[in-house]
Amino acid sequence: MQNPAPSRTERLSIVILVLVGLATVFAPDWLGFRWLREKGWELRILQVLVGFLFLFQAVSILEKNRLRRRVHELYEGLNMLLYGKNYRRDREAIVILVNALRGKDEDVRNKAWQNLKRLTGKDFALDHEVWSTWWKANEKHFATKARRPEPRGEEKGGEEE
């Protein structure tokens, strides 16, 4: 994802930082604020400006984090719409099942292979390398093909076998 252009508040905080920095480096004498120095207000005004700048930056960071969370929620909603309600669980399951194909127990490998075929709709050989290569190439745009059986007790017609 590309970094977005700086927001208006970020640009404004940068401008304020530059102005306060310039005012600190170049004494305000040439700006006509000699009377501030004579009254002893120069440091106080600078303190207020720097304090305001920190508060402004804190609010900017809070707003950025709020927007980041909102974008994440929208992205999750879009993924759920495109790939189904359990897309994250299915993807995690595929990673676990592909890794299980590497195991020593033949029964575990067979069950993992059967579940991979059910989840993905693919019928590759029982080979970790084949499944791993396929998953690396397809994980970003993968949507499960299999229909999940309804949980027991919620079957249509209410009858149990």
Side-chain angles (χ1 to χ4, degrees):
M1 187 150 95
Q2 285 185 339
N3 288 337
S7 67
R8 182 175 178 210
T9 55
E10 290 172 326
R11 288 192 306 266
L12 184 58
S13 64
I14 291 170
V15 169
I16 292 172
L17 272 173
V18 169
L19 291 176
V20 169
L22 289 173
T24 304
V25 172
F26 303 109
D29 291 341
W30 59 274
L31 294 173
F33 292 119
R34 188 170 298 176
W35 62 274
L36 287 175
R37 183 174 290 154
E38 291 170 1
K39 296 209 179 250
W41 291 358
E42 179 185 38
L43 181 61
R44 178 51 90 192
I45 288 175
L46 189 59
Q47 287 173 332
V48 168
L49 287 174
V50 170
F52 172 75
L53 181 65
F54 279 103
L55 289 173
F56 184 80
Q57 193 62 31
V59 169
S60 176
I61 290 169
L62 288 172
E63 181 67 10
K64 180 188 273 187
N65 288 337
R66 186 188 70 79
L67 288 172
R68 183 176 288 138
R69 282 190 306 272
R70 185 68 180 135
V71 166
H72 179 71
E73 290 170 4
L74 290 171
Y75 183 70
E76 285 294 311
L78 177 64
N79 279 332
M80 288 173 71
L81 181 67
L82 291 175
Y83 303 122
K85 185 171 92 173
N86 298 319
Y87 84 98
R88 186 177 298 260
R89 183 194 70 187
D90 293 341
R91 289 167 182 262
E92 290 170 358
I94 290 171
V95 171
I96 292 168
L97 292 170
V98 167
N99 288 332
L101 292 176
R102 218 185 289 162
K104 302 222 184 280
D105 186 353
E106 187 176 337
D107 190 42
V108 170
R109 285 196 325 265
N110 280 327
K111 286 182 180 179
W113 180 53
Q114 293 299 324
N115 283 308
L116 277 169
K117 291 192 307 183
R118 180 182 59 84
L119 279 173
T120 64
K122 303 294 180 189
D123 193 10
F124 299 132
L126 199 161
D127 181 6
H128 173 265
E129 288 301 317
V130 172
W131 282 97
S132 181
T133 303
W134 173 83
W135 182 242
K136 285 177 186 172
N138 292 285
E139 68 181 314
K140 290 189 180 190
H141 56 81
F142 175 76
T144 57
K145 304 280 189 246
R147 286 181 61 100
R148 305 248 180 326
E150 295 180 1
R152 293 206 178 263
E154 296 179 10
E155 296 171 356
K156 293 180 181 174
E159 298 177 37
E160 292 188 38
E161 295 180 21

